[in-house]
Amino acid sequence: LNIVFAAGLEAHNWQRNMGGTGDTPFSMALLAGGCAGTSVDVALFPIDTIKTRCQAKEGFFAAGGFKGIYRGLTAAAAGSAPGAALFFSTYETVKPIVKSQIGDRPVAVQACAASAG
């Protein structure tokens, strides 16, 4: 969660320094969220599979070991894109609304927007 806050603050500062308003268009947030969610799930899928197999009652190798650690990756990636896209687009939509209510307090604004997502 801290990574989301830090990345949001850096993006906001970059946009402000480049002369932008700091608001992200809905379509960009939707696309960026889908790409981010899919990237994270694809990168971490084999690690999560290995962790799950280590926790299996029958043991790591009886549960499959390193064989087929990418099995099910397509379904996981396809499922993560809509959820992450919805989170990011909600986050970016709520952020300016919260900012207008509580002022220019970046951490508080990002915390409220992340809670809404």
Side-chain angles (χ1 to χ4, degrees):
L1 197 53
N2 290 336
I3 294 171
V4 172
F5 292 151
L9 184 58
E10 286 303 313
H12 175 76
N13 290 338
W14 181 80
Q15 282 183 329
R16 188 184 299 169
N17 292 339
M18 297 303 287
T21 62
D23 296 336
T24 304
F26 180 80
S27 58
M28 182 182 290
L30 196 68
L31 182 62
C35 290
T38 303
S39 299
V40 167
D41 279 354
V42 167
L44 298 180
F45 187 84
I47 297 169
D48 190 45
T49 303
I50 291 170
K51 175 198 64 105
T52 303
R53 290 181 183 180
C54 285
Q55 296 172 340
K57 286 183 181 181
E58 63 269 13
F60 178 72
F61 290 107
F66 292 105
K67 185 176 181 181
I69 61 172
Y70 290 99
R71 188 173 299 132
L73 175 65
T74 305
S80 69
L86 184 62
F87 171 80
F88 273 87
S89 58
T90 302
Y91 173 82
E92 291 295 338
T93 301
V94 170
K95 204 166 60 169
I97 296 168
V98 172
K99 185 177 179 181
S100 70
Q101 297 295 316
I102 66 173
D104 192 21
R105 297 172 40 201
V107 175
V109 170
Q110 290 170 2
C112 290
S115 297

